[in-house]
Amino acid sequence: MAELHGSGSEETGLHTAQVRGVPVHATKHRDPHRRVPVNPLLVAAGVDPTGAAMVSPPMYRCGDGPIPPDTAYRLIHDELKLDGQAQLNLATFVTTWMEPQAALLMAECADKNMIDKDEYPQTAELERRCVAILADLWHAPDAHTAVGCSTTGSSEACMLAGLALKRRWMNKNKERYRAGARPNLVLGIEVQVCWEKFCEFWEVEPRYVPMEGERFSINGPEAAALCDENTIGVVAIMGSTMDGSYEPVWEICESLDELQVRTGLDIPVHVDGASGGMVAPFIDPELVWDFRQPRVASINTSGHKYGLVYPGVGWALWRDAEALPEELVFRVNYLGGDMPTFALNFSRPGAQVVAQYYTFLRLGREGFRLVQQAARDVAMYIADGVEALGDFKLITRGDQLPVFAFTTADHVENFDVYDVSRRLRERGWQVPAYTFPKNREDLAVLRVVVRNGFSHDLADLLLADIARLLPELNNQPAPGHKTGVEIKEPFHH
C-alpha cells in the first residue's frame, strides 16, 4: 500500500494527503466498542428525559435498533460544528452559498436520479438547456446541436474529454497502436491531480511542461516541442489552481498550427475550464480561448465552482459530433426518442443540474458578469492590501480568476508562509500554504480564493488579521519548521 503521507507524483512534485487521489481514512480506532452517551435533553420532544439513559448508539458499528430522529439529528449536528466555517474557507474553489430558492429546488429534486431520463424527462430537458447555454457561451459552431453532458464535477469531465482524445488518436493510428505505440498527453506540470489520475488509469504517458523561473504555466512553444505522432492532445488550463492564472490557449493553438505546417501533425487541444470556463465568458469576453479556436476540440467546467452551484456538478462539451467518437456514446430512451449519454458514473442526483439551470435563468449574462466582477474586485483588493503590508510578495494579483498567490518578501527571515497559514487558522481563516511543483519546489506560497459571497467587509477583516499577526511573527527567532513545528500542507486543489 502507498504511504499515507506520500508526496504525490514523482513527476509533478505535487503534495497531497491522499493515496493515488483517494482520501485515506484510518480503519483502527482507540475503542471500537465506544458508544455515544446522550444528554437527557437530547431525547425526542415529549419523551421523559430519563429515557436518554436507554439511548447510547455505537460509534463504529450499526446499532441494534433505532433511536429517535431528533436525537440522531442533534448528535450529528453538534459534531459537525467542529468543521471549518465554509465562508471563511479561502482554500476551496467550490460554491459555499446559494440562494434559498435554489436550495429549495435542490431539496425538491433530491430523490431524482439524473441517469433515469425516461422517468425524469424534464430534468433531462434542463440538462439539455444547460448544455446549449454553455455551447453558446463558449461559441460552439452550432449551440443547438452541440454535444455535451453533465458530470459529477470537472474531474469526471476531464476523464471523459481525455478518453475522447485517446479514442480519436487510436482510431487514426490503429496499426501503430496495435504494434505497441503508447499515446501521450502534453500538459503543464501545475495541472489539477485529476489529469495525473487520467494518465495513470488509462495508460497514457503524461508529458509535463515544467515551470521555469517566473513562468509558472504552460506556453505554446514548450507545449509544441513535446508533441509527436503519439500525442493525443494538449491540455490548456483556463485558471490554474496554483495561482489563478489563465494559460494562453490562443498561443498554444498558434504554436500547434505552426507545428502542423512543419510536420503535418494535427494535435487537438482540450481546455480545462474548471473555473475560468465560468469566469472568462462574462468578464474577459475579448479572450479567444474557446471554440472560436478551431483547434479546441473540447472544454470542461465545474458548475460547482464559479458556476455558482453546490457540489457536485460539472460539464463536458465537444465542438461537434466528430470530436466525440460515436462508440463512446450510449443511448437511452428520452420522451420516446434517443438520448445520448456519455459518463463514467451511473446513478447520480439531478438536483445540481436543476440548480445550474436555476442559476443561468436567475442571473443571465449581466447577472453573471456582476457576480464574477465583484469576486475579482475583492480578490484584487485583498492582493493590493497584502502587498501594502510590506512583508509579502505577490505571485499573481487576482486579475484573471478571482484568485491570487503570494509568498514572503525577500527580507523576511523570521517566519514563512506555513506560519502565516497556521496562525490565521486560529481565527477561523483557512488559507492554504504549499510549494509549487517540480523545478520550483523552492517557492512556497499562500493562496486566496475569492468566491461569490466573500464581501469587502470580510476582506477587511482578513487583512486586519494578517496585519495583526505580523509583529508577533517578525519577533519569532525563526520560521516554525526550524524550531520543531511540523509543516502540514493542507488540501489546496
Side-chain angles (χ1 to χ4, degrees):
M1 178 177 178
E3 293 180 0
L4 288 182
H5 303 290
S7 58
S9 165
E10 184 176 325
E11 182 73 36
T12 63
L14 296 178
H15 298 277
T16 70
Q18 301 177 323
V19 172
R20 305 186 78 83
V22 179
V24 176
H25 300 283
T27 57
K28 294 182 180 179
H29 309 282
R30 290 181 181 175
D31 182 4
H33 304 293
R34 184 179 176 186
R35 305 182 77 87
V36 186
V38 176
N39 185 292
L41 294 181
L42 289 190
V43 295
V47 176
D48 184 347
T50 60
M54 305 299 294
V55 180
S56 183
M59 294 182 73
Y60 301 118
R61 63 177 180 83
C62 193
D64 295 331
I67 65 174
D70 289 345
T71 305
Y73 165 80
R74 185 60 184 271
L75 286 171
I76 298 171
H77 171 82
D78 288 351
E79 283 198 22
L80 291 175
K81 288 183 178 179
L82 293 172
D83 279 346
Q85 293 295 315
Q87 199 168 9
L88 302 185
N89 184 358
L90 300 178
T92 184
F93 287 77
V94 174
T95 296
T96 54
W97 183 85
M98 291 192 75
E99 291 180 312
Q101 294 87 344
L104 178 60
L105 275 174
M106 293 184 74
E108 291 172 351
C109 297
D111 59 346
K112 294 187 178 182
N113 187 352
M114 189 66 242
I115 201 67
D116 194 347
K117 301 180 189 301
D118 183 57
E119 185 69 22
Y120 307 113
Q122 203 56 36
T123 301
E125 169 61 20
L126 298 188
E127 180 187 34
R128 286 165 56 96
R129 293 180 193 176
C130 287
V131 168
I133 289 169
L134 288 169
D136 179 59
L137 284 174
W138 297 340
H139 299 93
D142 186 348
H144 296 290
T145 60
V147 180
C149 61
S150 65
T151 64
T152 55
S154 263
S155 291
E156 183 189 4
C158 290
M159 298 283 177
L160 298 178
L163 279 173
L165 290 176
K166 181 180 179 183
R167 185 56 63 93
R168 286 179 65 190
W169 176 87
M170 289 168 57
N171 289 342
K172 291 180 180 179
N173 298 273
K174 291 179 180 178
E175 295 303 320
R176 294 181 60 257
Y177 184 61
R178 289 180 188 139
R182 186 185 181 194
N184 66 71
L185 181 67
V186 175
L187 19 72
I189 201 164
E190 85 288 3
V191 291
Q192 213 268 356
V193 71
C194 70
W195 286 106
E196 186 179 347
K197 291 164 65 176
F198 164 76
C199 291
E200 179 70 22
F201 294 166
W202 275 278
E203 300 180 326
V204 173
E205 175 197 353
R207 293 188 174 178
Y208 295 108
V209 175
M211 292 184 175
E212 294 292 346
E214 299 303 306
R215 180 179 59 75
F216 302 125
S217 61
I218 194 173
N219 64 15
E222 295 279 356
L226 291 177
C227 293
D228 60 23
E229 65 275 12
N230 294 333
T231 302
I232 65 174
V234 174
V235 175
I237 306 173
M238 280 298 287
S240 167
T241 59
M242 286 285 161
D243 61 11
S245 63
Y246 295 153
E247 290 189 335
V249 179
W250 44 94
E251 177 189 297
I252 293 167
C253 290
E254 182 179 355
S255 293
L256 293 176
D257 288 343
E258 295 170 358
L259 178 70
Q260 185 173 8
V261 171
R262 294 196 313 270
T263 67
L265 295 175
D266 185 8
I267 310 295
V269 170
H270 172 77
V271 178
D272 184 348
S275 293
M278 288 290 199
V279 174
F282 303 108
I283 56 178
D284 299 305
E286 74 284 357
L287 295 182
V288 184
W289 62 273
D290 51 18
F291 289 124
R292 286 172 289 182
Q293 294 285 350
R295 197 166 289 279
V296 172
S298 50
I299 303 172
N300 71 274
T301 197
S302 286
H304 60 230
K305 292 180 180 174
Y306 287 98
L308 310 179
V309 175
Y310 286 140
V313 61
W315 300 91
L317 270 71
W318 290 264
R319 67 178 304 111
D320 50 36
E322 184 181 353
L324 177 60
E326 177 63 26
E327 63 267 27
L328 296 178
V329 180
F330 292 82
R331 305 282 172 177
V332 297
N333 183 272
Y334 168 68
L335 290 180
D338 207 28
M339 180 73 175
T341 67
F342 181 30
L344 298 179
N345 290 298
F346 197 71
S347 294
R348 57 187 173 87
Q352 287 84 355
V353 169
V354 172
Q356 183 73 81
Y357 183 68
Y358 168 87
T359 305
F360 284 139
L361 185 67
R362 166 82 171 91
L363 291 177
R365 284 179 179 262
E366 181 61 11
F368 259 99
R369 187 191 68 79
L370 291 170
V371 168
Q372 311 300 36
Q373 186 63 55
R376 179 181 283 177
D377 290 345
V378 172
M380 295 178 67
Y381 174 76
I382 301 172
D384 288 345
V386 165
E387 186 176 44
L389 292 172
D391 282 339
F392 300 104
K393 178 172 63 177
L394 295 180
I395 305 300
T396 48
R397 312 192 70 93
D399 56 350
Q400 293 184 333
L401 286 189
V403 175
F404 69 95
F406 61 103
T407 188
T408 50
D410 294 338
H411 69 269
V412 173
E413 297 180 351
N414 294 43
F415 67 92
D416 59 20
V417 294
Y418 300 101
D419 294 323
V420 178
S421 178
R422 185 176 62 254
R423 294 301 307 279
L424 284 175
R425 186 173 283 271
E426 295 173 4
R427 281 279 290 167
W429 302 106
Q430 299 173 61
V431 182
Y434 52 90
T435 57
F436 271 25
K438 190 175 179 180
N439 281 20
R440 284 311 314 265
E441 290 172 307
D442 59 304
L443 179 59
V445 303
L446 293 145
R447 187 196 64 200
V448 171
V449 178
V450 175
R451 303 178 308 282
N452 178 41
F454 195 86
S455 63
H456 276 275
D457 180 51
L458 285 173
D460 283 330
L461 292 173
L462 173 63
L463 288 169
D465 280 341
I466 296 173
R468 190 178 297 115
L469 289 174
L470 288 177
E472 184 177 342
L473 290 172
N474 277 305
N475 284 329
Q476 290 183 173
H481 74 272
K482 293 185 177 181
T483 59
V485 178
E486 182 183 359
I487 291 179
K488 294 183 178 180
E489 290 202 358
F491 185 79
H492 54 81
H493 278 294

